[in-house]
């Protein structure tokens, strides 16, 4: 069984259903409001464990009811949470999701305890990271923690996957050089490289720039169109599955968790893993919410 470690965020999501995004200064009524588990790190960890991987999670929560709600969810899925610790002062992270009638979303994040993860927290998880096949992280937790985790991973021959989300410019060169695979969407790819992603050539241009920044393997996700990969001399495109989209929340996180669970250590099956991840994501977008929409491997057919 593949061993995966995810370093990332925990959020409790509040989903606000609206017809469209409000204009500046506009007051708008909601159709509905709901609460669900979320956070990019937690979503990716749950996706990996539901994909069949032995998955450990490194994160932080506050001391409140929201924390209990999230921990119960993790235990139900069989996620290993020895390195999910409590912060005495900061609250559990929260996300406020504006979901429009077409299934597209805009998200506001309160980092809370996610932003209190330290280098020392990572060092306490060193043995767990060293024993993994793959380590995943994103940008909803401190960069210093991510760099330390990736250092430990590379010292022990562990594959590293960076999801550069939320979009960020000026990513530390040290982190990029420790990254085996970077998985941005088109917005994140443009933020990193300054190149707008709108066709196959632009994806190749983005990938080439990321290669010059020290990353050997690039996967760019482009929503309902699919995903592009580049390994330098080799590249290709995997089409998305066409489905009726209800909510795109956690689609990218599902893709990454399933990708990591399927990917061989030498990356020789990258297209097969991307198809597997794309299928899982196509199921996620058909249900409203984040973690509740992430499928189990028995429901994902290739």
């Amino acid at each position: 069984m593949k061993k995966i470690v995810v370093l990332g965020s925990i959020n409790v999501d509040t989903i606000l259903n609206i017809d469209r995004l409000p204009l500046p200064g506009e007051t708008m009524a909601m159709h509905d409001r709901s609460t669900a588990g979320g956070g990019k790190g937690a979503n990716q960890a749950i996706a990996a464990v539901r994909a069949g991987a032995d998955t450990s999670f490194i994160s932080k929560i506050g001391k409140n009811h929201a924390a209990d709600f999230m921990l119960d969810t993790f235990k139900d899925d069989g996620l290993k949470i020895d390195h999910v610790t409590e912060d005495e002062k900061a609250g559990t992270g929260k996300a406020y999701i504006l979901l429009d009638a077409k299934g597209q979303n805009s998200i506001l994040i309160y980092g809370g305890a996610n932003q209190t993860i330290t280098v020392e927290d990572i060092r306490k998880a060193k043995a767990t990271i060293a024993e993994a096949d793959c380590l995943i992280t994103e940008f909803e937790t401190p960069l210093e923690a991510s760099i330390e985790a990736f250092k430990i991973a590379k010292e022990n021959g562990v594959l590293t996957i960076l999801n550069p989300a939320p979009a960020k410019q000026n990513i530390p060169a040290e982190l990029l050089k420790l990254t085996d695979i970077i998985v941005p969407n088109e917005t994140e790819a443009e933020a990193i490289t300054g190149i707008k992603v709108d066709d196959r050539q632009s994806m190749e241009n983005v990938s080439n720039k990321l290669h010059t920044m020290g990353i050997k393997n690039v996967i760019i996700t482009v929503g309902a169109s699919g995903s592009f990969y580049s390994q330098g001399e080799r590249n290709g495109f995997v089409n998305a599955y066409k489905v009726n989209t209800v909510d795109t929340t956690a689609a990218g996180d599902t893709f990454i968790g399933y990708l990591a669970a399927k990917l061989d250590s030498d990356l020789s099956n990258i297209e097969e893993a991307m198809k597997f991840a794309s299928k899982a994501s196509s199921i996620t977008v058909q249900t409203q919410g984040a973690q509740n929409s992430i499928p189990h491997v028995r429901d994902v057919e290739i």
Side-chain angles (χ1 to χ4, degrees):
M1 182 183 292
K2 181 74 70 68
K3 285 189 175 182
I4 294 174
V5 175
V6 178
L7 162 62
S9 57
I10 297 171
N11 291 329
V12 175
D13 292 348
T14 298
I15 304 159
L16 310 176
N17 295 86
I18 54 180
D19 284 331
R20 56 172 175 77
L21 295 181
L23 299 173
E26 181 181 14
T27 299
M28 177 183 289
M30 295 181 292
H31 296 306
D32 199 4
R33 175 187 180 277
S34 59
T35 301
K40 294 194 70 63
N43 295 345
Q44 291 167 12
I46 285 176
V49 77
R50 290 183 186 174
D54 179 347
T55 308
S56 298
F57 190 27
I58 304 171
S59 192
K60 248 179 185 172
I61 52 175
K63 275 193 159 184
N64 50 23
H65 175 70
D68 296 336
F69 166 69
M70 295 302 297
L71 291 175
D72 287 344
T73 299
F74 299 154
K75 290 172 185 176
D76 288 345
D77 272 295
L79 185 60
K80 293 181 177 178
I81 54 174
D82 293 347
H83 300 293
V84 175
T85 55
E86 289 184 343
D87 186 272
E88 295 290 335
K89 297 180 180 178
T92 301
K94 292 181 173 60
Y96 300 90
I97 301 170
L98 304 179
L99 178 63
D100 72 17
K102 296 180 180 178
Q104 296 300 313
N105 61 56
S106 295
I107 304 174
L108 304 173
I109 300 291
Y110 162 69
N114 296 315
Q115 293 303 313
T116 69
I117 298 173
T118 65
V119 168
E120 186 56 34
D121 292 324
I122 302 305
R123 290 174 180 162
K124 289 177 181 178
K126 182 175 182 178
T128 300
I129 295 171
E131 293 172 356
D133 296 301
C134 176
L135 171 67
I136 304 167
T137 197
E138 29 70 25
F139 287 157
E140 288 184 348
T141 51
L143 283 170
E144 316 86 73
S146 297
I147 291 170
E148 182 66 19
F150 271 32
K151 282 181 180 177
I152 294 168
K154 296 320 300 173
E155 287 168 1
N156 291 277
V158 177
L159 185 74
T160 55
I161 297 178
L162 175 63
N163 173 216
K168 185 184 293 291
Q169 297 177 331
N170 303 317
I171 300 170
E174 184 177 14
L175 180 61
L176 294 176
K177 289 177 181 177
L178 294 166
T179 298
D180 291 316
I181 309 172
I182 192 167
V183 190
N185 64 20
E186 60 265 56
T187 302
E188 294 145 9
E190 182 177 359
I192 299 167
T193 66
I195 301 170
K196 184 175 178 59
V197 175
D198 52 17
D199 59 17
R200 174 68 176 262
Q201 184 59 56
S202 63
M203 294 178 205
E204 292 184 15
N205 294 341
V206 166
S207 298
N208 290 337
K209 188 161 185 177
L210 290 169
H211 292 322
T212 66
M213 296 165 84
I215 303 172
K216 293 182 179 178
N217 304 282
V218 177
I219 297 175
I220 303 170
T221 58
V222 285
S225 296
S227 50
F228 172 84
Y229 74 93
S230 175
Q231 298 175 301
E233 295 296 319
R234 179 185 176 208
N235 63 49
F237 194 88
V238 173
N239 291 320
Y241 290 79
K242 303 302 180 185
V243 297
N244 180 34
T245 298
V246 174
D247 181 3
T248 58
T249 305
D253 298 329
T254 300
F255 183 94
I256 289 170
Y258 267 79
L259 176 80
K262 187 72 169 180
L263 201 57
D264 291 339
S265 57
D266 63 0
L267 311 187
S268 59
N269 70 332
I270 191 166
E271 283 201 25
E272 180 187 359
M274 289 168 66
K275 290 176 182 176
F276 183 61
S278 181
K279 179 65 173 181
S281 293
S282 74
I283 297 172
T284 295
V285 301
Q286 295 180 68
T287 301
Q288 182 174 306
Q291 288 161 18
N292 61 291
S293 71
I294 298 170
H296 293 80
V297 68
R298 61 180 177 269
D299 300 315
V300 181
E301 299 176 358
I302 291 293

Coordinates of all heavy atoms in Angstrom, one line a residue, residues 92-132:
T92 N -9.6 27.0 15.0 CA -9.6 26.2 13.8 C -9.9 27.0 12.6 O -10.7 27.9 12.6 CB -10.7 25.1 13.9 OG1 -10.4 24.3 15.1 CG2 -10.6 24.1 12.7
G93 N -9.1 26.7 11.5 CA -9.3 27.5 10.3 C -10.7 27.5 9.7 O -11.4 26.5 10.0
K94 N -11.0 28.5 9.0 CA -12.4 28.6 8.4 C -12.3 29.1 7.0 O -11.4 29.8 6.6 CB -13.3 29.5 9.2 CG -13.6 29.0 10.6 CD -14.5 29.9 11.4 CE -15.0 29.3 12.7 NZ -13.9 29.0 13.6
A95 N -13.2 28.6 6.2 CA -13.4 29.1 4.8 C -14.8 29.5 4.5 O -15.7 28.8 5.0 CB -12.9 28.0 3.8
Y96 N -15.0 30.6 3.8 CA -16.3 31.0 3.4 C -16.4 30.9 1.9 O -15.7 31.6 1.2 CB -16.6 32.4 3.9 CG -16.5 32.5 5.4 CD1 -15.2 32.7 6.1 CD2 -17.6 32.3 6.2 CE1 -15.1 32.8 7.4 CE2 -17.5 32.3 7.6 CZ -16.2 32.5 8.2 OH -16.1 32.5 9.6
I97 N -17.2 30.1 1.4 CA -17.3 29.7 0.0 C -18.5 30.3 -0.7 O -19.7 30.0 -0.3 CB -17.3 28.2 -0.2 CG1 -16.0 27.6 0.4 CG2 -17.4 27.8 -1.7 CD1 -16.0 26.1 0.5
L98 N -18.3 31.2 -1.6 CA -19.4 31.8 -2.4 C -19.6 30.9 -3.6 O -18.8 30.8 -4.5 CB -19.1 33.2 -2.9 CG -18.8 34.2 -1.7 CD1 -18.4 35.6 -2.3 CD2 -19.9 34.3 -0.7
L99 N -20.7 30.2 -3.7 CA -21.0 29.2 -4.7 C -22.1 29.7 -5.6 O -23.3 29.9 -5.1 CB -21.4 27.8 -4.1 CG -21.8 26.7 -5.1 CD1 -20.6 26.3 -5.9 CD2 -22.2 25.5 -4.3
D100 N -21.8 29.9 -6.9 CA -22.9 30.4 -7.8 C -23.7 29.3 -8.5 O -23.4 28.1 -8.3 CB -22.3 31.4 -8.8 CG -21.4 30.7 -9.9 OD1 -21.5 29.5 -10.1 OD2 -20.7 31.4 -10.6
A101 N -24.7 29.7 -9.2 CA -25.6 28.8 -9.8 C -25.0 27.9 -10.9 O -25.5 26.8 -11.2 CB -26.8 29.6 -10.5
K102 N -23.8 28.2 -11.4 CA -23.1 27.4 -12.4 C -22.1 26.5 -11.8 O -21.4 25.8 -12.5 CB -22.4 28.3 -13.4 CG -23.3 29.2 -14.2 CD -22.6 30.1 -15.2 CE -23.5 31.0 -16.0 NZ -22.8 31.9 -16.9
G103 N -22.0 26.5 -10.4 CA -21.1 25.6 -9.8 C -19.7 26.1 -9.6 O -18.8 25.4 -9.0
Q104 N -19.5 27.4 -10.0 CA -18.2 28.0 -9.7 C -18.1 28.6 -8.4 O -19.2 29.1 -7.8 CB -17.9 29.0 -10.8 CG -17.8 28.4 -12.2 CD -16.6 27.4 -12.3 OE1 -15.5 27.7 -11.9 NE2 -16.9 26.2 -12.9
N105 N -16.9 28.7 -7.8 CA -16.8 29.3 -6.4 C -15.7 30.3 -6.3 O -14.8 30.3 -7.1 CB -16.7 28.2 -5.4 CG -15.4 27.4 -5.6 OD1 -14.3 27.9 -5.7 ND2 -15.5 26.1 -5.8
S106 N -15.9 31.2 -5.3 CA -14.9 32.1 -4.8 C -14.8 31.8 -3.3 O -15.8 31.6 -2.6 CB -15.2 33.5 -5.1 OG -15.2 33.8 -6.5
I107 N -13.5 31.8 -2.8 CA -13.3 31.4 -1.4 C -12.5 32.4 -0.6 O -11.5 32.9 -1.1 CB -12.6 30.0 -1.4 CG1 -13.4 29.0 -2.2 CG2 -12.4 29.5 0.0 CD1 -12.7 27.6 -2.4
L108 N -13.0 32.7 0.6 CA -12.3 33.5 1.6 C -11.8 32.6 2.7 O -12.6 31.8 3.2 CB -13.2 34.6 2.1 CG -13.9 35.5 1.1 CD1 -14.9 36.5 1.7 CD2 -12.8 36.4 0.3
I109 N -10.5 32.8 3.1 CA -9.9 31.9 4.1 C -9.5 32.7 5.3 O -8.9 33.8 5.3 CB -8.7 31.3 3.5 CG1 -9.0 30.4 2.3 CG2 -8.0 30.4 4.6 CD1 -9.8 29.2 2.5
Y110 N -9.9 32.1 6.5 CA -9.3 32.5 7.8 C -8.3 31.4 8.2 O -8.8 30.3 8.5 CB -10.4 32.7 8.8 CG -9.9 32.7 10.3 CD1 -9.1 33.8 10.7 CD2 -10.1 31.7 11.1 CE1 -8.6 33.8 12.0 CE2 -9.6 31.7 12.4 CZ -8.8 32.7 12.9 OH -8.3 32.7 14.1
G111 N -7.0 31.7 8.2 CA -6.0 30.7 8.5 C -6.1 30.1 9.9 O -5.9 28.9 10.0
G112 N -6.2 30.9 10.9 CA -6.3 30.4 12.3 C -5.1 29.5 12.6 O -4.0 29.9 12.4
A113 N -5.4 28.4 13.2 CA -4.3 27.5 13.7 C -3.5 26.9 12.6 O -2.3 26.6 12.8 CB -5.0 26.3 14.4
N114 N -4.0 26.9 11.3 CA -3.1 26.5 10.2 C -1.8 27.3 10.1 O -0.8 26.8 9.7 CB -3.9 26.7 8.9 CG -5.1 25.8 8.8 OD1 -5.1 24.6 9.2 ND2 -6.2 26.3 8.4
Q115 N -1.9 28.6 10.5 CA -0.8 29.5 10.3 C 0.2 29.4 11.5 O 1.2 30.1 11.6 CB -1.2 30.9 10.2 CG -2.0 31.2 8.8 CD -1.1 30.8 7.6 OE1 0.1 31.2 7.6 NE2 -1.7 30.0 6.7
T116 N -0.1 28.5 12.5 CA 0.8 28.4 13.6 C 1.7 27.1 13.5 O 2.4 26.8 14.5 CB 0.0 28.3 14.9 OG1 -0.8 27.1 15.0 CG2 -0.9 29.5 15.0
I117 N 1.6 26.4 12.4 CA 2.5 25.2 12.3 C 3.9 25.6 12.2 O 4.2 26.6 11.4 CB 2.1 24.4 11.0 CG1 0.6 23.9 11.1 CG2 3.0 23.2 10.8 CD1 0.1 23.2 9.9
T118 N 4.8 25.0 12.9 CA 6.2 25.5 13.0 C 7.1 24.4 12.4 O 6.8 23.3 12.2 CB 6.6 25.7 14.5 OG1 6.5 24.4 15.2 CG2 5.6 26.7 15.2
V119 N 8.4 24.9 12.3 CA 9.4 23.9 11.8 C 9.6 22.8 12.8 O 9.8 21.6 12.5 CB 10.8 24.7 11.6 CG1 11.9 23.7 11.5 CG2 10.6 25.6 10.4
E120 N 9.5 23.1 14.1 CA 9.6 22.1 15.2 C 8.5 21.1 15.1 O 8.7 19.9 15.3 CB 9.5 22.8 16.6 CG 9.8 21.8 17.7 CD 11.1 21.1 17.6 OE1 12.1 21.6 17.1 OE2 11.1 19.9 18.0
D121 N 7.3 21.5 14.7 CA 6.2 20.5 14.5 C 6.6 19.5 13.4 O 6.3 18.3 13.5 CB 4.9 21.3 14.1 CG 4.3 22.1 15.2 OD1 4.4 21.6 16.3 OD2 3.7 23.2 14.9
I122 N 7.2 20.0 12.3 CA 7.6 19.2 11.2 C 8.7 18.2 11.7 O 8.6 17.0 11.3 CB 8.1 20.0 10.0 CG1 7.0 21.0 9.6 CG2 8.6 19.1 8.9 CD1 5.7 20.4 9.2
R123 N 9.6 18.7 12.4 CA 10.7 17.8 12.9 C 10.2 16.7 13.8 O 10.8 15.6 13.8 CB 11.8 18.6 13.6 CG 12.6 19.5 12.7 CD 13.5 20.5 13.4 NE 14.2 21.3 12.4 CZ 14.9 22.4 12.7 NH1 14.8 22.9 14.0 NH2 15.5 23.1 11.8
K124 N 9.1 17.0 14.5 CA 8.5 15.9 15.3 C 7.9 14.8 14.5 O 7.7 13.7 14.9 CB 7.5 16.5 16.3 CG 8.0 17.3 17.4 CD 6.9 18.0 18.2 CE 7.5 18.8 19.3 NZ 6.5 19.5 20.1
A125 N 7.6 15.1 13.2 CA 7.0 14.2 12.3 C 8.1 13.6 11.3 O 7.7 12.9 10.3 CB 5.9 14.8 11.5
K126 N 9.3 13.8 11.7 CA 10.4 13.4 10.7 C 10.3 11.9 10.4 O 10.5 11.5 9.2 CB 11.8 13.7 11.4 CG 13.0 13.3 10.5 CD 14.3 13.8 11.1 CE 15.4 13.5 10.2 NZ 16.7 14.0 10.7
A127 N 10.2 11.0 11.4 CA 10.1 9.6 11.1 C 9.0 9.2 10.2 O 9.1 8.4 9.3 CB 10.0 8.8 12.4
T128 N 7.8 9.8 10.3 CA 6.7 9.6 9.5 C 6.9 10.0 8.1 O 6.6 9.3 7.1 CB 5.4 10.3 10.0 OG1 5.2 9.9 11.4 CG2 4.2 10.1 9.2
I129 N 7.5 11.2 7.9 CA 7.9 11.7 6.5 C 8.9 10.7 5.9 O 8.8 10.4 4.7 CB 8.4 13.1 6.6 CG1 7.3 14.1 7.1 CG2 8.9 13.5 5.2 CD1 7.8 15.5 7.4
A130 N 9.9 10.3 6.6 CA 11.0 9.5 6.1 C 10.5 8.2 5.6 O 11.1 7.6 4.7 CB 12.1 9.3 7.2
E131 N 9.5 7.7 6.2 CA 9.0 6.3 5.8 C 8.0 6.4 4.7 O 7.5 5.4 4.2 CB 8.3 5.7 7.0 CG 9.3 5.4 8.2 CD 8.6 4.9 9.4 OE1 7.3 4.9 9.4 OE2 9.3 4.5 10.4
A132 N 7.6 7.6 4.2 CA 6.6 7.7 3.2 C 7.1 7.5 1.8 O 8.3 7.5 1.5 CB 6.0 9.1 3.3

